[in-house]
Amino acid sequence: PDQRGVGDSDKPPAGYRLEDVANDVVGMLDALEIPAAWVVGSSSGGYVAQQLALDFPERLRGLVLVGAPRSLAGRDPFGRILETFHDPVVAEDIDALNEGLDLSSAIRGEFLDVQNAAALTIPRHVWLAGYRGLIEAAPPTETGVIRTPTLLLNGADDDLLGSSEAAALATAIPISRQRGYANTGHF
């Protein structure tokens, strides 16, 4: 499914806080009549999954967090880049963001093409609000205890978050197992 503001989803002016995005996942589960599911969250999607586990633990069978942050508090690596985005967003904006991400050359071009095409469907206001919703949110593991069984996967060479985030999550989530992958970055 596309998140709010992405692809063919509605692009309202508000509703991009971490809690809002977690509520959207529950809305999707309700619409599909799925009482409980395994949830996989990659990168910032892992932050959303953590919030989901706190707010709706009964809806989860388990979590898989891939390259997920434990905390984004105090981090603002992309705010300046996003502020320069055009309205509507153009390919040069996405190129600037990708340069800021310092993407590994090991990422397949076909994968990047799909990601870049999806990124162009996101209006500037959604980029800004979604980003603010993440970096301004209280880290889920600091507002409660995630009791959902969790598998933590991370790249040992994570160049965006650092490999220590997975270890911090493993400490914060009592029922968790961590697996790092050598020679693997964030993406």
Side-chain angles (χ1 to χ4, degrees), residues 40-51 63-69 140:
V40 178
S42 176
S43 193
S44 62
Y47 219 39
V48 173
Q50 292 171 56
Q51 190 67 48
L63 286 176
V64 179
L65 303 178
V66 184

Side-chain angles (χ1 to χ4, degrees), residues 6 12 15 23 31 38 40 48 57 80 84 110-111 124-125 133 135 146-148 152 158 165 171 184 187:
V6 179
N23 285 330
W38 282 89
V40 178
V48 173
R80 287 188 178 163
T84 68
E110 298 86 12
F111 175 80
R124 181 180 190 272
H125 79 275
I135 65 170
I146 295 172
R147 303 210 182 275
T148 303
L152 303 161
D158 188 324
E165 285 294 297
T171 299
T184 303
F187 293 103

